[in-house]
Amino acid sequence: MQKAFVALLGFIPITIVALVLGSSPTVLFFLSALAIVPLARFIGRATEELSARSGPALSGLLNASFGNATELLIGFFAIRQGLVEVVKASLTGSIIGNLLLVLGTATFAGGWSYKTQQFNLSAAHANASTLLLAVIAMTIPPIFYQTIPSMLGATIESLSLLVSALMIVTYLASLWFAFRTHPHLYSEELEHYEAKWTLNKMDLTLQISIGSATQIAMFVAPVLVLTSIIFPNPMSLVFSTFELAAIILSVLIVNQVVADGESNWFEGLQLMMAYGIMAVAFFLHT
Amino acid sequence: MQKAFVALLGFIPITIVALVLGSSPTVLFFLSALAIVPLARFIGRATEELSARSGPALSGLLNASFGNATELLIGFFAIRQGLVEVVKASLTGSIIGNLLLVLGTATFAGGWSYKTQQFNLSAAHANASTLLLAVIAMTIPPIFYQTIPSMLGATIESLSLLVSALMIVTYLASLWFAFRTHPHLYSEELEHYEAKWTLNKMDLTLQISIGSATQIAMFVAPVLVLTSIIFPNPMSLVFSTFELAAIILSVLIVNQVVADGESNWFEGLQLMMAYGIMAVAFFLHT
Amino acid sequence: MQKAFVALLGFIPITIVALVLGSSPTVLFFLSALAIVPLARFIGRATEELSARSGPALSGLLNASFGNATELLIGFFAIRQGLVEVVKASLTGSIIGNLLLVLGTATFAGGWSYKTQQFNLSAAHANASTLLLAVIAMTIPPIFYQTIPSMLGATIESLSLLVSALMIVTYLASLWFAFRTHPHLYSEELEHYEAKWTLNKMDLTLQISIGSATQIAMFVAPVLVLTSIIFPNPMSLVFSTFELAAIILSVLIVNQVVADGESNWFEGLQLMMAYGIMAVAFFLHT
């Protein structure tokens, strides 16, 4: 099994050669997809090893950051191409995908092996209120826009920029909180349950999924708003009613599910169903 | 007292005779109403006896199912008559009536005898997140509809059908959770507080009221959506903004009130007041 | 320091003399502002002394009532002048100012000295659900109004008056709850942590900020609705979508932050940021 993964690494030079030889985009896509498999597995294993040494907070942050750096870069170039609405839909999809699909599937799967999975309530609580602040920051500009449709574009842009700046400051403050002033909140229960391997895994899943959603909402999206002002068609913080409703409802049900510090297969199923409902609507919507 | 109730059973044959003799609907209504009194009392007593033996989860489910079977049948025939909006209003009324009026009155009344009433937090928590999922399922189609008013009727109908199917699957999964994989959540505290008769009663009230609201939202409504496709004018999951707001706000305040596993007369009063505000608005609305 | 404050009292007679001599409003404003400083400090100290003797519930209520009596009077005369929208904006500003800015700043500042501040969870919980009821009461009339824009003004006014009456009854019931039937909820932990001076202070801050916001929403606003019917242009309970969204979101994040009975600097910062986002939007909005 291990060897098969290593063998797939051979597709990295093959992809480069194919690129040089001028292969079609479809061929390049499938070659790159095969080359990514072992890399994704290595990141996953590195995250787990890191978690065993430094706790789920840091490894969750690093794992989320690896993935979201790509999202940030692709978003930046897509906005330059004028694909503003596509980027907003993609950010929304990442937020609800992490909150509902990733967390839901992990909780559901873990629930078959363990009747009840416990996790670090303090850390989940801090993330949950940051997510709620993200909801506030993303709700205010659209309501502003909808109540005064005759509003000048410049005013909406000023509001987007100011709110985005506040979001980035808050996100950086949340890192300061997690790693400087209150790291014990994220590790104290780690020592307590040291023996239970799966517990640590549940905490790691929570940090990766909720942490990644928080990072996209509170850092990636506002950075794209701020940096895209150099383009003729910048991205504002005004998401569509549909996208906003999906984000608000996802945050509410995740907050409800993590509120008691325990999870089971049925809570995982609920998150997956919420994702299913939204996915069906998104699919019919477009 | 007991004898008076038994005597009322005599109205069952009297009603049948009156029906055969072709009495007016008004007379039949009052005769049936009298005949129902002892039956309602028997169901109530049977539920309590059952609860003492098998726990509040099963007896709450049976009690809710007895009542909602009628709601389902009446709804089905009303949709056949084209009374789609009436059925939606009736389902909404049942949901907020159970969540606010039934639960509120029981909590208020119980609060006069007992300063604080405790109940099974795990069971209430599981119901609360299922209610939130119902809110998500009922919110997505209307937002879908409102953001794209030019949408084809067929697309809305597909969305309604798919979401309804997911709701029924989730509802059946919640029964599997409550009776197969996690029955201990619903009974462990039962043993613990065995002696306190009223505690069990509070749990039973919660299971009947919240359980009934959940059953209407997650089972009765979607079954009506799915079965009514055989009629020329089927019912969709698109409730009015007003009905939806009433359901969302009811779920939020009930979740808040049950969040700490305790209740008192003031929390009961808050639920009753929330019902009063919505009832006044509904009354003026129509 | 103490002497400097006492010296400022001299501005009380100076302001009166200036008023008699017919000074300009600007001069009178600055003289009154200076005279208010020692008075505000005396109220603050009296509140703390009172809290040490009678608990945070009573002193919080008195402190909130002192400030809100002024708000009520000014509101009444402003409505008489036809400034209905200004009064609604001012009430909204007071509610979110208390919930986000006052509570946020106190939590943030306290968080620098104490890693974690604990407070009385039962009292915070009771206030939180009253705030949620206020949200329901303030949400129903606008939705009513928006779904039926052709509605007669008289019907909206009836709804406003009925809902306002229910709000005042609930507010009075909340005082009965706090001071008659369940005063132990507000004081039991006081004895327990008697030695920790700051804990009491955090409870007092919560009672003043959340208690004041509750008083404005559940008492000041409905009293203004009921008393302003004597004017040709009375105030209804229909707040703008923007004001309503600000109130709903503030209540949700405060409920989230106080849900675990603990607070830290980051939670204070989150509340301040939420205020900042809304303040920026309000500023650009007008």
Side-chain angles (χ1 to χ4, degrees):
Chain A
M1 192 65 183
Q2 181 67 19
K3 280 183 182 171
F5 277 105
V6 175
L8 286 172
L9 280 178
F11 280 95
I12 299 179
I14 294 174
T15 310
I16 295 171
V17 170
L19 181 69
V20 173
L21 295 178
S23 297
S24 75
T26 315
V27 170
L28 284 175
F29 174 82
F30 281 105
L31 291 175
S32 324
L34 286 168
I36 277 176
V37 173
L39 298 176
R41 189 180 154 87
F42 289 145
I43 290 179
R45 289 198 54 178
T47 305
E48 279 179 34
E49 297 249 341
L50 194 65
S51 178
R53 289 161 194 256
S54 60
L58 182 61
S59 49
L61 174 68
L62 289 179
N63 189 298
S65 302
F66 279 135
N68 293 336
T70 323
E71 179 109 19
L72 184 63
L73 272 176
I74 295 177
F76 184 77
F77 289 109
I79 296 173
R80 196 177 63 172
Q81 303 279 6
L83 303 168
V84 172
E85 298 313 314
V86 174
V87 173
K88 283 180 188 168
S90 160
L91 293 172
T92 306
S94 294
I95 293 171
I96 70 170
N98 273 295
L99 289 182
L100 303 180
L101 190 61
V102 176
L103 185 55
T105 310
T107 307
F108 184 76
W112 285 120
S113 316
Y114 298 84
K115 199 154 237 174
T116 305
Q117 299 163 92
Q118 290 181 305
F119 48 82
N120 185 327
L121 189 54
S122 300
H125 190 80
N127 271 319
S129 50
T130 310
L131 274 176
L132 209 55
L133 187 64
V135 161
I136 291 178
M138 297 176 84
T139 305
I140 293 294
I143 288 179
F144 188 66
Y145 182 75
Q146 279 167 23
T147 47
I148 314 178
S150 65
M151 176 79 41
L152 289 174
T155 317
I156 280 290
E157 209 172 290
S158 308
L159 180 61
S160 280
L161 295 176
L162 284 167
V163 172
S164 297
L166 292 178
M167 290 168 91
I168 292 171
V169 169
T170 310
Y171 185 70
L172 297 178
S174 79
L175 298 184
W176 184 264
F177 177 78
F179 296 107
R180 282 297 160 113
T181 71
H182 289 64
H184 57 286
L185 286 187
Y186 295 79
S187 57
E188 60 184 8
E189 297 183 26
L190 198 75
E191 296 159 24
H192 193 249
Y193 293 106
E194 205 171 10
K196 298 189 194 171
W197 176 73
T198 17
L199 169 92
N200 292 356
K201 257 206 147 157
M202 192 65 213
D203 270 338
L204 185 58
T205 305
L206 266 174
Q207 287 301 321
I208 292 176
S209 57
I210 302 192
S212 183
T214 310
Q215 195 179 56
I216 293 167
M218 294 293 282
F219 187 77
V220 174
V223 163
L224 286 175
V225 169
L226 287 177
T227 56
S228 72
I229 54 169
I230 61 171
F231 301 137
N233 188 15
M235 186 177 94
S236 78
L237 258 184
V238 179
F239 281 61
S240 76
T241 306
F242 196 76
E243 291 163 346
L244 205 57
I247 295 172
I248 293 174
L249 293 170
S250 303
V251 169
L252 285 183
I253 198 165
V254 166
N255 279 9
Q256 176 74 35
V257 161
V258 304
D260 63 351
E262 289 185 355
S263 71
N264 52 57
W265 70 266
F266 183 54
E267 291 184 319
L269 182 76
Q270 288 177 319
L271 296 181
M272 290 163 75
M273 283 295 173
Y275 187 80
I277 291 167
M278 291 177 194
V280 165
F282 262 112
F283 181 76
L284 292 174
H285 192 262
T286 48
Chain B
M1 193 65 182
Q2 182 66 20
K3 280 183 182 171
F5 277 104
V6 175
L8 285 173
L9 281 177
F11 279 95
I12 298 179
I14 293 174
T15 310
I16 295 171
V17 170
L19 182 68
V20 173
L21 295 179
S23 295
S24 75
T26 316
V27 170
L28 284 175
F29 175 82
F30 281 106
L31 290 175
S32 325
L34 287 168
I36 277 175
V37 174
L39 298 177
R41 190 180 153 86
F42 289 145
I43 290 179
R45 289 199 55 178
T47 306
E48 280 180 33
E49 297 248 343
L50 194 66
S51 177
R53 289 161 194 256
S54 60
L58 182 61
S59 49
L61 174 68
L62 289 179
N63 189 297
S65 303
F66 279 136
N68 293 337
T70 323
E71 179 108 18
L72 185 63
L73 271 177
I74 295 177
F76 184 77
F77 290 110
I79 296 173
R80 196 176 64 171
Q81 302 280 5
L83 302 168
V84 172
E85 297 313 314
V86 174
V87 173
K88 282 181 188 168
S90 160
L91 292 171
T92 307
S94 293
I95 293 171
I96 69 169
N98 273 296
L99 289 182
L100 302 180
L101 191 61
V102 175
L103 186 55
T105 310
T107 308
F108 184 76
W112 285 121
S113 315
Y114 298 84
K115 198 154 239 177
T116 305
Q117 299 164 90
Q118 291 182 304
F119 49 82
N120 186 327
L121 190 55
S122 301
H125 191 79
N127 271 318
S129 50
T130 310
L131 274 176
L132 209 56
L133 187 65
V135 161
I136 291 177
M138 297 176 83
T139 305
I140 292 294
I143 288 179
F144 189 66
Y145 181 76
Q146 278 167 24
T147 47
I148 313 178
S150 66
M151 176 79 41
L152 289 173
T155 317
I156 280 291
E157 208 171 291
S158 309
L159 179 62
S160 279
L161 295 176
L162 284 166
V163 172
S164 297
L166 292 178
M167 289 168 92
I168 292 170
V169 169
T170 310
Y171 184 71
L172 296 178
S174 79
L175 299 184
W176 185 264
F177 177 78
F179 296 108
R180 282 298 160 113
T181 70
H182 289 63
H184 58 287
L185 286 187
Y186 295 78
S187 56
E188 60 184 7
E189 298 183 26
L190 198 75
E191 296 159 23
H192 193 249
Y193 293 106
E194 205 171 11
K196 296 189 192 170
W197 177 72
T198 15
L199 170 90
N200 292 356
K201 256 206 146 158
M202 192 64 214
D203 271 338
L204 185 59
T205 305
L206 266 175
Q207 287 300 323
I208 292 176
S209 57
I210 302 191
S212 184
T214 310
Q215 195 180 57
I216 293 167
M218 293 293 282
F219 187 77
V220 175
V223 164
L224 286 175
V225 169
L226 288 176
T227 55
S228 71
I229 54 169
I230 61 170
F231 301 136
N233 187 15
M235 186 177 93
S236 79
L237 259 184
V238 179
F239 281 62
S240 75
T241 307
F242 196 77
E243 291 163 344
L244 205 58
I247 294 173
I248 293 174
L249 294 169
S250 303
V251 168
L252 285 182
I253 198 167
V254 166
N255 279 10
Q256 175 74 33
V257 161
V258 304
D260 63 350
E262 288 185 354
S263 71
N264 53 56
W265 70 264
F266 182 55
E267 292 184 318
L269 182 75
Q270 288 178 319
L271 296 180
M272 290 162 75
M273 283 294 174
Y275 186 80
I277 291 167
M278 291 176 193
V280 165
F282 262 112
F283 181 76
L284 292 174
H285 193 263
T286 48
Chain C
M1 193 65 184
Q2 180 67 19
K3 278 184 183 172
F5 277 105
V6 174
L8 285 172
L9 280 177
F11 280 94
I12 298 179
I14 293 174
T15 310
I16 295 171
V17 169
L19 181 69
V20 172
L21 294 179
S23 295
S24 76
T26 315
V27 170
L28 285 174
F29 174 81
F30 282 104
L31 290 176
S32 324
L34 286 169
I36 277 175
V37 173
L39 298 176
R41 189 180 154 87
F42 289 145
I43 289 179
R45 291 200 51 179
T47 305
E48 279 179 32
E49 298 247 341
L50 194 64
S51 178
R53 288 160 194 256
S54 59
L58 182 61
S59 49
L61 174 68
L62 289 179
N63 189 298
S65 303
F66 279 135
N68 293 338
T70 323
E71 180 109 17
L72 185 63
L73 271 176
I74 294 177
F76 184 77
F77 289 110
I79 296 173
R80 197 177 64 172
Q81 302 280 2
L83 303 168
V84 172
E85 297 313 315
V86 174
V87 172
K88 283 181 187 166
S90 160
L91 293 171
T92 307
S94 293
I95 293 171
I96 69 171
N98 273 295
L99 289 182
L100 303 179
L101 190 61
V102 175
L103 185 56
T105 311
T107 307
F108 183 76
W112 285 121
S113 316
Y114 297 84
K115 199 155 237 175
T116 305
Q117 301 162 90
Q118 291 182 304
F119 49 81
N120 185 326
L121 189 55
S122 301
H125 190 81
N127 271 318
S129 50
T130 309
L131 274 176
L132 209 56
L133 187 64
V135 162
I136 291 178
M138 297 175 84
T139 305
I140 293 294
I143 288 179
F144 188 66
Y145 182 76
Q146 279 167 24
T147 47
I148 313 178
S150 65
M151 175 80 39
L152 289 173
T155 317
I156 280 291
E157 207 171 292
S158 308
L159 180 61
S160 279
L161 295 176
L162 284 166
V163 172
S164 298
L166 291 178
M167 290 168 92
I168 292 171
V169 169
T170 309
Y171 184 70
L172 297 178
S174 79
L175 298 184
W176 184 264
F177 177 78
F179 296 108
R180 281 297 160 113
T181 70
H182 289 63
H184 58 286
L185 286 187
Y186 294 78
S187 57
E188 60 184 8
E189 298 183 26
L190 196 77
E191 296 158 24
H192 193 248
Y193 293 105
E194 205 171 12
K196 296 188 192 170
W197 176 71
T198 16
L199 169 91
N200 290 357
K201 254 203 147 160
M202 193 63 214
D203 270 339
L204 185 58
T205 305
L206 266 175
Q207 287 299 323
I208 292 176
S209 58
I210 301 191
S212 184
T214 310
Q215 195 179 57
I216 292 167
M218 294 293 282
F219 187 77
V220 174
V223 163
L224 286 176
V225 169
L226 288 177
T227 55
S228 72
I229 54 168
I230 61 170
F231 301 136
N233 188 15
M235 186 177 94
S236 79
L237 259 185
V238 180
F239 281 61
S240 76
T241 306
F242 195 77
E243 290 163 346
L244 204 58
I247 294 173
I248 293 174
L249 294 169
S250 304
V251 168
L252 285 182
I253 197 166
V254 165
N255 279 9
Q256 176 75 32
V257 161
V258 304
D260 63 350
E262 288 185 356
S263 70
N264 52 57
W265 70 265
F266 182 54
E267 292 183 319
L269 182 76
Q270 288 177 318
L271 296 180
M272 290 162 74
M273 283 295 174
Y275 187 80
I277 290 167
M278 291 177 193
V280 164
F282 262 111
F283 180 76
L284 291 175
H285 192 264
T286 48

